[in-house]
Amino acid sequence: MQTLFIQGPSVTLRTLILVIASIVLMTVDHRWSHMEGVRNALAYVLYPLQYTIDLPIRLYHWSDETLSTHQTLLDKNHQLEDLNLQNRVRLQKLDILEKENQRLRELLRATPKTGEQFLIAEIINVDVDPYRQLITINKGSNDNVYSSQPAIDAQGVVGQTIHVSAMSSTIMLITDASHALPVQIDRTGLRAVAFGTGKIDYLDLRHIPHSADIREGDTLITSGLGGRFPANYPVAVITQIERSPDETFVTVRAEPLAQLDRSREVLLVWHNQPLIIPNIDE
Amino acid sequence: MNNTNTRIGLFTIIVAFMLAMMPLPDWAIAFRPDWVTLVLIYWTMALPASIGVTIAWLAGLMLDVSHSALLGQHALGLVLVIYIIHTQHQRLRVASLVQQALVIFFLLLLKQALVLWVSGIMGHAPDTWLYFMPSLTSALIWPWVYIILRDLRRKFVYQPHY
């Protein structure tokens, strides 16, 4: 029943308290990481909703696979077998090179190269903020995903996790306006930092001097500096270079290689792991 | 406080959250109405005793998590909007739908400006006027939201008060 006179604190007082609480929360969340627990608990509540939204799309893909004809599946299987054979041949060579590299490093008494482990995560189709470049994936701390873990796809670097809850995590793409990635030009070894622009199709390279040896079509790879991303993964291709005499630096734009707006899956990478060379027969 | 009221209210808020996260084609994303705020405004007007600033604040926190925004960013704006609605709900109830839509347009502009202000401090403010488009589309869609929710409430809840 509606109470007329006994109402607890007045609405104005409650609003005031909540406004102050919001401001305090924002400050704490911005400066320290104490609020990650609260955020993860709330994300846990949100996950069923996200899962339900994604369900029709999941169902569509599932029915697409289930209802495809025998012939289509056979064709696909043949294609994949061919691809697998090619990859295996390449891997044999890589295997030998890996071992040789390790031997040489031991001879030099250099620190042994570390290996990497991968986990496939599916992207949950939810739209969040149209002005930020974020995606949600269906793996979280239950699968040992950690905060600021790198994510790649078959073509290149995708981004890194920023929030990890139990069953899902949020990945910030390399094109987000607040993302920066240490890179290297694979032709010359020139190091640079690739800044996200907030647009899905290009990155900015800042602070490149006019004298730098840099061309359109150069591939950028991760340099591994900063320690967050493993080295030598392809990131982007330089598409545009503007050398204007009245600017201190060259304006360089690069197009990400990863299919940021199309892929349905990403690979999460655990690097700094002891090197285990996988046995191909397994 | 009626239990059915709260249940219907919560159900529609959950639906609003799902609409807010539903994937849309690229051209339509900028025009997505602010579903959660619209639904909360309706329930604050209809049942100010059960749904008000506290629920709005919690919903705002959920919005922050779904947007990966700072915790409190949407909550702050939402609390202020709902507070204004709450203090004016008796006047708003007798206003015409067009007048209500106009009020909601300005309140949502206020909310978006607050969110934008915090984003600006954080250094990732969007650089297009399209950012304010949801205020306009929300105001335009308000009459339908109002009618649908009112019918829903009348169907499930009979309230002899007011």
Side-chain angles (χ1 to χ4, degrees):
Chain A
M1 69 167 270
Q2 262 181 331
T3 44
L4 256 185
F5 299 108
I6 314 148
Q7 278 197 334
S10 78
V11 182
T12 315
L13 184 65
R14 255 189 297 161
T15 309
L16 207 64
I17 293 168
L18 291 176
V19 165
I20 292 168
S22 308
I23 293 169
V24 170
L25 261 182
M26 278 192 275
T27 318
V28 173
D29 194 27
H30 180 43
R31 296 194 181 261
W32 301 286
S33 52
H34 299 311
M35 298 322 290
E36 279 304 298
V38 178
R39 189 187 285 276
N40 296 345
L42 290 174
Y44 197 75
V45 179
L46 217 55
Y47 183 70
L49 294 187
Q50 293 174 331
Y51 189 86
T52 321
I53 294 168
D54 190 41
L55 207 60
I57 298 158
R58 213 172 268 254
L59 215 64
Y60 168 75
H61 283 276
W62 177 80
S63 62
D64 200 33
E65 271 168 24
T66 323
L67 302 178
S68 55
T69 60
H70 185 66
Q71 193 54 43
T72 336
L73 284 177
L74 271 183
D75 287 350
K76 211 172 170 184
N77 197 3
H78 279 303
Q79 265 180 25
L80 288 175
E81 261 174 17
D82 286 352
L83 197 69
N84 192 17
L85 196 68
Q86 287 176 18
N87 285 339
R88 266 179 180 222
V89 173
R90 276 189 209 146
L91 257 182
Q92 281 175 0
K93 231 171 164 179
L94 185 77
D95 204 10
I96 294 162
L97 282 175
E98 256 330 334
K99 277 180 182 149
E100 184 180 280
N101 192 306
Q102 216 177 8
R103 260 203 319 277
L104 289 172
R105 272 174 178 276
E106 271 166 27
L107 278 178
L108 285 169
R109 295 182 200 292
T111 45
K113 198 167 164 259
T114 51
E116 283 139 19
Q117 281 182 7
F118 302 97
L119 175 73
I120 296 179
E122 272 178 53
I123 295 172
I124 302 175
N125 271 289
V126 287
D127 273 346
V128 273
D129 195 335
Y131 301 103
R132 298 196 63 193
Q133 308 282 329
L134 306 170
I135 53 173
T136 312
I137 55 166
N138 70 345
K139 293 284 191 295
S141 51
N142 282 356
D143 299 285
N144 298 323
V145 178
Y146 58 90
S147 194
S148 54
Q149 176 170 19
I152 60 171
D153 75 357
Q155 271 78 35
V157 174
V158 171
Q160 56 178 306
T161 55
I162 49 169
H163 302 303
V164 181
S165 81
M167 276 138 81
S168 63
S169 4
T170 310
I171 290 180
M172 183 192 273
L173 302 182
I174 51 172
T175 48
D176 188 277
S178 45
H179 196 276
L181 178 65
V183 292
Q184 196 170 20
I185 292 168
D186 73 339
R187 186 171 56 85
T188 59
L190 178 80
R191 283 190 292 271
V193 179
F195 286 86
T197 54
K199 308 274 182 299
I200 194 98
D201 50 355
Y202 65 91
L203 302 164
D204 270 345
L205 256 61
R206 292 188 206 156
H207 312 305
I208 304 281
H210 283 280
S211 57
D213 177 14
I214 184 168
R215 288 185 216 149
E216 281 172 25
D218 280 351
T219 311
L220 299 172
I221 55 173
T222 50
S223 66
L225 293 179
R228 249 177 218 189
F229 284 85
N232 301 332
Y233 277 102
V235 177
V237 171
I238 293 175
T239 50
Q240 197 186 343
I241 299 175
E242 264 174 54
R243 295 178 201 266
S244 151
D246 40 285
E247 301 272 341
T248 325
F249 298 109
V250 196
T251 317
V252 184
R253 277 189 179 178
E255 194 190 332
L257 285 165
Q259 302 202 307
L260 295 178
D261 49 353
R262 272 159 295 168
S263 49
R264 269 192 65 77
E265 277 151 357
V266 295
L267 281 168
L268 293 163
V269 187
W270 280 262
H271 60 121
N272 305 326
Q273 303 269 335
L275 182 66
I276 308 157
I277 294 168
N279 191 349
I280 307 174
D281 293 331
E282 274 178 8
Chain B
M1 202 182 289
N2 191 324
N3 236 344
T4 334
N5 280 348
T6 330
R7 236 178 288 152
I8 293 290
L10 282 180
F11 172 72
T12 52
I13 291 169
I14 287 171
V15 172
F17 265 102
M18 290 176 72
L19 284 173
M21 293 191 293
M22 192 78 81
L24 289 180
D26 282 346
W27 60 268
I29 288 178
F31 297 92
R32 184 203 302 272
D34 192 343
W35 295 109
V36 176
T37 314
L38 284 182
V39 170
L40 281 168
I41 287 175
Y42 175 80
W43 287 113
T44 313
M45 273 167 61
L47 312 162
S50 18
I51 291 181
V53 282
T54 317
I55 288 183
W57 189 69
L58 290 174
L61 284 187
M62 296 298 279
L63 272 185
D64 289 325
V65 172
S66 78
H67 281 68
S68 293
L70 272 189
L71 279 181
Q73 196 174 349
H74 290 82
L76 175 66
L78 208 49
V79 162
L80 287 176
V81 168
I82 295 303
Y83 172 67
I84 296 168
I85 295 282
H86 196 281
T87 52
Q88 304 296 322
H89 70 266
Q90 276 158 333
R91 278 185 211 175
L92 277 171
R93 271 185 200 161
V94 292
S96 73
L97 280 178
V98 179
Q99 284 168 323
Q100 288 179 359
L102 204 65
V103 171
I104 283 167
F105 174 67
F106 285 109
L107 285 179
L108 282 174
L109 276 186
L110 168 80
K111 179 192 172 232
Q112 286 205 287
L114 278 170
V115 173
L116 179 68
W117 183 44
V118 179
S119 299
I121 294 172
M122 294 290 292
H124 45 72
D127 52 357
T128 156
W129 285 101
L130 270 182
Y131 171 77
F132 287 105
M133 199 45 96
S135 295
L136 187 66
T137 49
S138 304
L140 289 178
I141 214 159
W142 168 252
W144 286 273
V145 174
Y146 180 88
I147 290 164
I148 290 169
L149 288 177
R150 186 193 58 193
D151 289 353
L152 203 67
R153 179 171 61 83
R154 286 198 181 149
K155 189 163 178 176
F156 288 100
V157 188
Y158 177 68
Q159 236 193 1
H161 314 291
Y162 71 84

